[in-house]
């Protein structure tokens, strides 16, 4: 009987090395590991069916395709961890890609162009953040609104035009398609940003406060956490990364029309949730989110290689999302039960 | 007013007024907290104690009047300001982050730093372990806060407040969920802090604790200041009179009844790792108390009986009908009602109005054709609000604006409205003021008198002894004793609850 087992460490009077924490850790690490495992299976099966899948070009394509999604997923996970959501990122990517392209095509300097792109993204983020944190409008509604506003703005500016790759400075296109030592720049940028944000969230007091807010907003307020400032910061980051994503989108594709990343916000949210960031906030990591982005992109490529009807790609993404959420729920119940069995002995 | 300790209070409120909409929570209240003094704040629920605490904590800003810190007026713009001024608060309802570890919960917002401003996790863990050692708590720093019992959550809150090295420690009902041992340890720590020159503000509905811990007491009634006086020389009755403004009828108005046939029968109920082999009966017209220490598995038994949790073995019979496991709907259909322990989380939908909350258990009965009749819902709510003497402004106010005692009445109304034959109440008077407590007791007694079978889970020993016809005592998931009213004493119940006697 486990009730009896539990008496030994309790009686010792010294806090035992918590088994409970280890369980929780394992569960969440298990999430990241299970994505890696799913990736391995997917790649294995696809490569067996078509050896081209693992050719240098095939891998490079997957990495390039993942990078922008991963970047957006990093920003999105910070927002989701605070129990909010940012649906405007797809529109922001489109707007920034077009405006930056317009600026560079008319002879603007590249560093300034990148800066403008990121600044536009950050500005959109600030608008979202102010509306959500200070006016206390639900994030879903606010960012749905800004999604359409930014989209409209993009169409207004574009006015049916398109940016052509030939008009862009070659250095810009190089940024999107070349690399160092065979590794393209895009995934490098995504990885660096992921590591930086991941480290910040884990190791800095202000980083932990994002989790605190998502876990219990009221408790965070009582603990003196500057809730509104942090939420604003989360949106600022998400917006700025969407801006950077827009610049990289331009660099990667060269030719862009208005609202070129339409619908991406949902892919980003899917990647984040598949990657183990709880949509209810407080749980998850940017590493998981990036792995989620990698998994979704790889599935897309694999289905193409396996000549599956593209229709199935969305269905698979959807199924994966449902699976991820179901697994989360089952795990949460398991953990809760384990914790309960432990804690029933504490009240002495 | 007498002055003890230092000549100037560390923190004080002067003529503070605070209203929420039409409800005035505080009206011209003054309070002075001195270094080295434990000051009790007494008053019924809804008297304004929690508002006063939140004003000191920087959560609320007074509409008029001032907060004085070392005699100087200050304005706290938020909880962070008050914390910076050395005010630490243990709130009535634990405010933890379920997804974070216990150590992170304690140090959120002011984690120990390593190089480059990073969190020093090792120091954080070590300090947490030290705090738990000091409180004699067997929790691990790395354990997540999710799943902690209310008592453990409360202990984490206490550790959090202690870790702040506060000049002013405010405790809003810290002991409500704690067992005797834990209360003793807490008081030991508080005494030590007081000796170091900390000012303590203590709120408890257990008057004994006020007399044991505090030197001075301030009483509030309906948001107004009644008295500030030394505890010495006061009696329980004096204090109660100041709090309620009238003489109380007996706090435990138990009517004598003759038990009828068995209404609830529980046989060999077992849930792995939670409780084992629990068997008992409750008869019509009888109040059976389920006593025991926090964590003995009492609430879990209640949850299993009602079908919220599944059980692994055993049988529950209500009025001769066996209940299917894991179905609250079936339990309700059989005439069972459960008033849960945590009214904010489990008893009420906090965002909904009083009438909607009361209507929730009887939506089928409130239906007129395919739609819910607002009028029927309102009638039902008004009916019960009057019967239970609920204090409210309007029935369509959110339950969140009610005081704890009145919220509990709403939960009771919600369940009594289905006309149950067996009522299970889990800690019915936890965090409720003396006045409402007596009302709840009278109500339970009347219900039993009308032939209802009442199973009352309670950690409040006087309540158990005062109200129960029969006391069932649980210890570590088993029923260790069944004591009839005549033989139930503080000693016999505690002995069984701590597993010292196999009665």
């Amino acid at each position: 009987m486990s009730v009896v087992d539990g008496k030994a460490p309790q009686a010792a009077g010294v806090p035992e090395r918590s088994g409970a924490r280890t369980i929780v850790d394992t569960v969440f690490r298990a999430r990241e590991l299970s994505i890696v495992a799913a990736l391995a299976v997917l790649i294995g099966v696809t490569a067996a069916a078509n050896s081209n899948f693992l050719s240098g070009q095939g891998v490079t394509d997957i990495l390039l395709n993942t990078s922008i999604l991963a970047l957006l997923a990093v920003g999105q996970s910070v927002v989701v961890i605070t129990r909010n959501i940012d649906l405007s990122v797809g529109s922001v990517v489109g707007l920034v890609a077009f405006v930056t392209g317009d600026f560079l095509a008319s002879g603007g300097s590249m560093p300034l162009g990148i800066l403008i792109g990121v600044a536009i993204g950050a500005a959109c983020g600030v608008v979202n953040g102010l509306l959500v944190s200070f006016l206390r409008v639900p994030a879903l509604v606010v960012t749905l609104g800004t999604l359409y506003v930014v989209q409209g703005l993009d169409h207004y500016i574009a006015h049916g035009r398109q940016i052509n790759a030939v008009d862009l400075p070659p250095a810009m296109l190089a940024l999107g398609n070349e690399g160092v030592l065979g590794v393209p720049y895009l995934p490098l940028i995504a990885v660096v940003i992921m590591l930086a944000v991941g480290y910040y969230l884990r190791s800095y007091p202000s980083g932990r406060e994002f989790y605190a807010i998502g876990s219990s907003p009221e408790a965070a307020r009582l603990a003196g956490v500057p809730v509104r400032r942090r939420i604003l910061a989360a949106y600022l980051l998400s917006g700025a990364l969407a801006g950077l994503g827009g610049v990289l989108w331009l660099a990667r594709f060269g030719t862009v029309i208005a609202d070129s990343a339409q619908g991406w916000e949902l892919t980003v949210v899917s990647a984040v949730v598949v990657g183990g960031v709880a949509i209810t906030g407080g749980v998850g990591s940017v590493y998981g989110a990036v792995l989620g982005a990698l998994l979704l992109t790889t599935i897309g490529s694999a289905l193409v290689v396996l000549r599956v009807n593209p229709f199935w790609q969305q269905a698979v993404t959807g199924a994966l999302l449902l699976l991820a959420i179901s697994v989360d729920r089952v795990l949460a119940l398991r953990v809760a039960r384990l914790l309960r069995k432990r804690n029933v002995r504490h009240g002495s | 007013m007498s002055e003890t300790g230092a000549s100037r209070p560390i923190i004080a409120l002067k003529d503070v007024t605070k209203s929420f909409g039409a409800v005035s929570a505080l009206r011209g209240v003054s309070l002075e907290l001195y270094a080295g003094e434990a000051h009790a704040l007494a008053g019924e629920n809804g008297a304004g104690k929690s508002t006063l605490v939140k004003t000191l904590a920087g959560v609320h800003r007074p509409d008029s009047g001032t907060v004085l810190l070392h005699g100087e007026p200050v304005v706290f713009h938020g909880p962070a300001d008050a914390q910076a001024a050395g005010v630490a608060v243990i709130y009535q309802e634990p405010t933890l982050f379920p997804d974070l570890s216990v150590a992170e919960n304690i140090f959120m917002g002011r984690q120990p730093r390593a190089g480059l401003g990073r969190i020093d996790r090792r120091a954080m863990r070590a300090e947490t372990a030290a705090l738990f050692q000091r409180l004699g708590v067997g929790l691990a720093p790395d354990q997540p806060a999710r799943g902690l019992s209310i008592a453990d959550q409360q202990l984490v809150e206490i550790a959090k407040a202690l870790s702040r090295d506060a000049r002013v420690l405010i405790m809003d009902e810290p002991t409500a969920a704690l067992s005797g041992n834990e209360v003793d340890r807490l008081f030991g720590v508080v005494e030590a802090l007081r000796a170091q020159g900390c000012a303590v503000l203590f709120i408890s509905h257990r008057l004994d604790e006020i007399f044991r811990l505090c030197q001075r007491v301030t009483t509030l009634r309906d948001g107004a200041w009644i008295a500030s006086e030394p505890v010495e020389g006061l009696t329980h009755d004096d204090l109660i009179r100041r709090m309620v403004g009238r003489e109380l009828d007996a706090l435990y108005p138990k009517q004598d009844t003759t038990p009828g046939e068995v209404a609830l029968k529980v046989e060999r109920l077992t849930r792995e790792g939670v409780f084992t082999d629990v068997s008992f009966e409750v008869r019509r017209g009888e109040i059976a108390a389920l006593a025991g220490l926090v964590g003995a598995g009492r609430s879990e038994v209640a949850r299993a009986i009602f079908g919220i949790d599944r059980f692994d073995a055993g049988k529950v019979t209500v009025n001769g009908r066996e209940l299917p496991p894991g179905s609250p709907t079936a339990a309700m259909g059989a005439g069972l009602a459960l008033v849960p322990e945590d009214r904010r989380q489990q008893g009420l939908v906090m965002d909904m109005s009083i009438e909607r909350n009361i209507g929730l258990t009887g939506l089928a009965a409130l239906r007129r054709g395919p739609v819910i009749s607002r009028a029927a819902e309102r009638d039902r709510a008004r009916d019960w609000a009057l019967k239970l003497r609920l204090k409210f402004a309007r029935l369509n106010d959110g339950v969140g604006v009610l005081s704890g005692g009145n919220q509990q009445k709403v939960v009771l109304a919600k369940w009594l409205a289905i006309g149950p034959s067996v009522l299970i109440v889990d800690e019915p008077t936890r965090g409720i003021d003396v006045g409402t407590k007596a009302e709840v007791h009278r109500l339970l007694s009347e219900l039993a008198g009308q032939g209802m079978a009442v199973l009352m889970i309670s950690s409040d020993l006087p309540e158990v002894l005062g109200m129960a016809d029969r006391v069932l005592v649980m210890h570590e998931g088993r029923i260790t004793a069944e004591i009839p009213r005549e033989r139930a004493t503080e000693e016999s119940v505690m002995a069984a609850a701590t597993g010292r006697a196999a009665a």
Side-chain angles (χ1 to χ4, degrees), chain A residues 71-93:
Chain A
L71 213 54
L72 299 178
V74 168
Q76 187 73 249
S77 33
V78 178
V79 173
V80 173
I81 281 169
T82 65
R83 206 183 273 191
N84 285 294
I85 197 163
D86 187 353
L87 292 180
S88 69
V89 288
S91 296
V92 172
V93 168

Side-chain angles (χ1 to χ4, degrees), chain A residues 5 46 54 61 68 71 105 147 149 166 184 200 216 256 319 334 346:
Chain A
D5 297 344
T46 318
L54 277 187
D61 278 346
I68 295 172
L71 213 54
L147 179 156
V149 170
V166 287
Y200 165 75
S216 170
V256 290
R334 282 276 161 81
H346 272 306

Side-chain angles (χ1 to χ4, degrees), chain B residues 201-277:
Chain B
L201 182 66
F202 179 77
I203 298 177
S204 173
H205 284 113
R206 300 183 187 167
L207 298 185
D208 288 335
E209 292 179 350
I210 291 181
F211 283 93
R212 195 170 135 201
L213 187 74
C214 299
Q215 288 78 54
R216 233 143 54 94
V217 55
T218 291
T219 316
L220 299 181
R221 191 195 310 151
D222 295 332
W225 179 88
I226 301 298
S228 286
E229 59 212 322
V231 167
E232 218 173 84
L234 281 182
T235 63
H236 279 52
D237 290 344
D238 294 337
L239 203 50
I240 291 175
R241 208 165 18 243
R242 281 172 184 61
M243 284 160 64
V244 295
R246 60 193 140 84
E247 296 290 344
L248 264 194
D249 326 332
L251 195 49
Y252 307 108
K254 177 76 183 85
Q255 301 175 359
D256 281 331
T257 54
T258 29
E261 76 271 32
V262 173
L264 171 69
K265 186 170 175 149
V266 176
E267 290 164 275
R268 312 210 60 168
L269 207 62
T270 299
R271 180 166 158 83
E272 289 296 332
V274 183
F275 52 81
T276 310
D277 223 358

Side-chain angles (χ1 to χ4, degrees), chain A residues 21 202-203 208 340 343 347, chain B residues 104 119 121 142 147 271:
Chain A
R21 181 65 181 180
R202 189 182 143 69
S203 298
R208 299 308 295 169
R340 198 183 56 224
N343 285 321
Chain B
E104 281 201 281
I119 299 171
R121 280 176 195 277
D142 284 336
R271 180 166 158 83

Side-chain angles (χ1 to χ4, degrees), chain A residues 219-236:
Chain A
R221 197 170 70 93
L222 293 176
V225 172
V227 175
R228 288 187 284 190
R229 271 217 320 265
R230 293 285 173 265
I231 291 178
L232 183 60
Y235 277 101
L236 176 65

Side-chain angles (χ1 to χ4, degrees), chain B residues 463-476:
Chain B
E463 176 172 278
V464 167
L465 300 178
M467 294 303 299
D469 294 299
R470 210 149 42 86
V471 185
L472 304 155
V473 190
M474 277 188 81
H475 171 64
E476 293 194 346

